[in-house]
Amino acid sequence: MLIRQVVKKVVRQAGLDVAGFLEAANGQEALDILMKTPVDLVLSDINMPGMDGIEMLMRLRQIERLQELPVIMVTTEGSEERINEAMDLGASGYVLKPFTPERLVEQLGPLGLLCKREDGVEPPPDFSDPTAF
Amino acid sequence: MNKRNYELLVESTRDVFETMSFMEVIQNDPITVSAEIPGIDITAVICIAGEISGMLGVHCSKQFAAECFDMMTGGEGGAPSYQQLCDTVGELANMIAGTLKRRMSSKLDLFDLSLPSISVSSGQRLFYTGAKDDFPRLLVPFVLANGEKFYVELLYHRR
């Protein structure tokens, strides 16, 4: 719950539209939402009650229309084994908690989701004010 | 007391606070003699199982949890509910335990971590009654710049 608020704040500061920000408490709730609602990006923890993030990712990739959906894992699970497992299942990025805003935004850039100026260049988010994070 | 594990616990705790909330925390010496600590409202516990087993706990007041919630959400979260305060302490314990795990074993999962369990009370006392040689218990007091205190505890046994 707390991390979802922090993530929402960071992605909004990075220029993403968070008006349609949807939240799920575990993997099953996330899948239920994804089956009904088109989304642009999934940010998911691995350790969650019920269905964890790895199983959610595995099931999500079995659904044809969700195979290309960007999924970034945001988790404390930092072993090579677990990172490789997520990436092999098609995770688009992997952010370890605790994270800086910059670290999360780094993962969003390659996905082409950040707002672009008229010249096509992504404006750098301003995280210089610590109290704003 | 294992000095290396104490250092890892302190580094992990500081890392979480400085990264997620830009809050500097100062550690005091670990408690090593019997002690009674008042003013504990929320305790979050992460169980540890594997080559190392035990638990990691964060003990604090409601005021401390509210301060952390406010700093981490940049004040956007409004007045936190009690559930949000509990979630905040649980997430702090989760991140401290995860960071500690990474510092202890980067390549292999030396141990697994549970989801946090939260105990709530009002102005309870935390008792430190010592530790056994084969089951060390570290209880480290930390303090924020505003004087708010919290405690991080690590109880562990290596197979």
Side-chain angles (χ1 to χ4, degrees), chain A residues 18-34:
Chain A
V18 294
F21 192 89
L22 300 167
E23 297 186 36
N26 60 44
Q28 186 60 59
E29 276 190 32
L31 282 179
D32 291 345
I33 290 171
L34 291 167

Side-chain angles (χ1 to χ4, degrees), chain A residues 77-94:
Chain A
E77 288 288 345
S79 69
E80 282 183 15
E81 186 182 1
R82 194 49 69 93
I83 294 171
N84 290 338
E85 187 180 11
M87 300 311 278
D88 289 347
L89 284 169
S92 317
Y94 203 101

Side-chain angles (χ1 to χ4, degrees), chain B residues 12-29:
Chain B
S12 300
T13 303
R14 293 178 66 124
D15 192 19
V16 167
F17 278 85
E18 288 170 10
T19 307
M20 292 300 292
S21 60
F22 302 96
M23 295 162 93
E24 187 182 355
V25 295
I26 299 162
Q27 78 278 10
N28 291 324
D29 290 337

